[in-house]
């Protein structure tokens, strides 16, 4: 099983391989300062495809990549470095011993590189100082011990078939793994169930945010309803600025977050909210709308129907927010 870069990096940090600070996101966010936005795809070659971008505007960079259909992003601190090393570990099929493959010139063109060398560490003994000495001498950098130890641990304790760092950047803070490629042996996955759960835990429920170029913000629950709302806005002569699908069973926090996300887009003049309550409860949605609307001071047009509809309507009406009976009239008023 091939792991995503961010999953591989989590294991790197568990085994003591230094990585840059970062966070995984599933929609555009604004991280101040210079950062690296990295599309999380299982294919390599992202650098050449423009899917690894250094930027001071993480929000727009992520919005752009989302238009290409990418949904998961790693945002990392920018680390300047003057050298990139290639290093990986895999089992030598012939001898059954672990081997370290290393090149002083790593980076995106490693396939063409001719200065790759292999160092075998016999399985019947531990890693010795002289093993690492030889590698360090070859690449001209002292300080590979934690990296080599971590990679071997990935092979021997985590059943990795391949653990690759390309590039390993040489920075003022020492060597940092800027990328990860980890393949776990499918036949051994049962031994690592806990780890796999841990890696996958953070993925949130299926919400999604997409930016367009009009001036109406749209929030719906479920892809079908959200798209239908967008189509209605267009049919009625409007132009959507962005949309947020809060997914199924959205709670108050999620709805408030959606309003903030949609509403902080400077192009958005008005926000249309179209919620059909099922598992999603209208009273929760109403509280979320109030909360979100208190932070984003733009006119909102709400259509809210389904489970706990009366409670939801009461909460909003009391706060002076009109609730429309159908999407047509809500959008009609928004476009007036
Ligand atoms: P790949 O092309 O899919 O293997 O993606 P990488 O993660 O290896 O990124 C491609 C290139 O972008 C690397 O070779 C680096 O030169 C550069 N890069 C990646 N991450 C960072 C980072 O955090 N900081 C800097 N300065 N450059 C990076
Ligand atoms: Mn790479």
């Amino acid at each position: 099983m091939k792991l995503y870069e961010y999953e591989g990096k989590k294991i790197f940090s568990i085994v003591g391989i230094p990585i840059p600070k970062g966070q995984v996101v599933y929609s555009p966010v604004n991280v101040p300062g210079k950062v690296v936005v990295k599309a999380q795809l299982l294919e390599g070659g992202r650098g050449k495809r423009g899917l690894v971008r250094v930027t001071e505007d993480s929000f727009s960079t992520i919005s752009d990549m989302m238009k290409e259909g990418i949904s998961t992003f790693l945002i990392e601190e920018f680390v300047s470095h003057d050298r990139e090393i290639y290093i990986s570990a895999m089992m030598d099929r012939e001898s059954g011993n672990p081997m370290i493959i290393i090149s002083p010139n790593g980076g995106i063109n490693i396939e063409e590189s001719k200065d790759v060398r292999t160092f075998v560490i016999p399985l019947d003994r531990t890693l010795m100082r002289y093993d690492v000495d030889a590698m360090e001498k070859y690449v001209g950098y002292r300080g590979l011990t934690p990296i080599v130890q971590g990679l071997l641990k990935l092979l021997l304790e985590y059943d990795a078939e391949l653990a690759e760092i390309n590039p390993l950047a040489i920075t003022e803070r020492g060597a940092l793994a800027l990328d990860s490629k980890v393949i776990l042996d499918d036949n051994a996955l049962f031994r690592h169930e806990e780890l796999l759960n841990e890696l996958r835990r953070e993925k949130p429920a299926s919400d999604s945010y997409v930016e367009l170029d009009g001036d109406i913000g749209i929030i719906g629950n479920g892809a079908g309803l959200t798209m239908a709302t967008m189509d209605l806005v267009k049919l009625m002569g409007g132009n959507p600025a962005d949309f947020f699908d809060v997914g199924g069973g959205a709670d108050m926090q999620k709805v408030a977050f959606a309003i903030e996300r949609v509403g902080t887009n400077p192009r958005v003049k008005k926000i249309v909210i179209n919620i059909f309550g099922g598992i999603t409860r209208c009273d929760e949605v109403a509280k979320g709308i109030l909360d979100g609307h208190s932070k984003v001071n733009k006119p909102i047009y709400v259509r809210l129907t389904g489970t706990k509809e009366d409670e939801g309507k009461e909460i909003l009406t009391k706060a002076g927010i009109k609730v429309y009976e159908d999407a047509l009239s809500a959008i009609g008023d928004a476009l007036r």
Side-chain angles (χ1 to χ4, degrees), residues 36 38 44-47 52 78-79 81 84 108 166-167 178-179:
V36 186
K38 310 185 76 179
R46 294 166 303 166
V52 174
F78 172 80
V79 269
H81 57 281
E84 298 189 337
I108 53 183
N166 187 30
L178 293 193
D179 192 8

Side-chain angles (χ1 to χ4, degrees), residues 30-267:
N30 219 331
V31 176
K34 197 171 181 182
V35 295
V36 186
V37 170
K38 310 185 76 179
Q40 295 301 287
L41 299 175
L42 291 176
E43 307 97 83
R46 294 166 303 166
K48 287 180 178 168
R49 292 170 58 195
L51 297 175
V52 174
R53 286 188 217 162
V54 177
T55 177
E56 292 195 22
D57 183 357
S58 58
F59 195 98
S60 319
T61 304
I62 293 170
S63 303
D64 282 352
M65 289 196 199
M66 283 188 97
K67 287 175 201 146
E68 297 177 40
I70 291 150
S71 61
T72 308
F73 304 87
L74 178 60
I75 308 178
E76 281 184 338
E77 60 173 330
F78 172 80
V79 269
S80 63
H81 57 281
D82 32 43
R83 222 151 77 71
E84 298 189 337
I85 288 174
Y86 172 94
I87 184 165
S88 66
M90 61 198 294
M91 282 296 181
D92 178 13
R93 278 176 203 269
E94 275 173 39
S95 67
N97 290 317
M99 55 187 186
I100 296 289
I101 301 141
I102 195 164
S103 164
N105 300 302
I108 53 183
N109 290 318
I110 189 68
E111 296 81 9
E112 294 152 29
S113 169
K114 289 182 182 68
D115 47 11
V116 178
R117 262 180 65 179
T118 299
F119 295 83
V120 175
I121 295 114
L123 201 53
D124 56 13
R125 64 162 173 82
T126 55
L127 183 71
M128 306 294 268
R129 183 63 243 169
Y130 62 78
D131 292 316
V132 183
D133 264 345
M135 298 175 204
E136 290 177 343
K137 203 170 273 172
Y138 179 59
V139 297
Y141 172 72
R142 297 235 152 242
L144 288 180
T145 304
I147 315 285
V148 175
Q149 259 165 351
L151 290 175
L152 291 177
K153 210 166 179 177
L154 267 152
L155 289 194
L156 303 173
E157 288 175 29
Y158 289 84
D159 296 298
E161 288 174 354
L162 171 72
E164 180 186 270
I165 307 173
N166 187 30
L168 176 73
I170 307 308
T171 76
E172 282 175 356
R173 281 146 60 191
L176 274 182
L178 293 193
D179 192 8
S180 89
K181 182 173 174 184
V182 175
I183 302 175
L184 299 179
D185 177 359
D186 289 329
N187 299 314
L189 289 181
F190 69 95
R191 278 204 283 265
H192 306 289
E193 226 162 276
E194 209 174 319
L195 173 76
L196 294 171
N197 286 336
E198 171 81 21
L199 291 179
R200 301 261 142 98
R201 200 180 48 196
E202 285 164 34
K203 189 145 186 138
S206 56
D207 63 12
S208 68
Y209 174 84
V210 175
E211 230 181 285
L212 304 156
D213 52 16
D215 59 4
I216 304 285
I218 294 163
I219 294 168
N221 63 323
L225 185 67
T226 310
M227 292 302 145
T229 310
M230 210 170 57
D231 288 344
L232 267 181
V233 168
K234 284 193 226 161
L235 278 172
M236 293 171 74
N239 202 357
D242 55 7
F243 64 87
F244 197 118
D245 167 14
V246 294
D251 59 9
M252 174 181 165
Q253 280 83 7
K254 175 66 92 38
V255 173
F257 176 74
I259 295 179
E260 263 193 81
R261 172 57 47 78
V262 163
T264 48
N265 176 345
R267 278 196 301 272

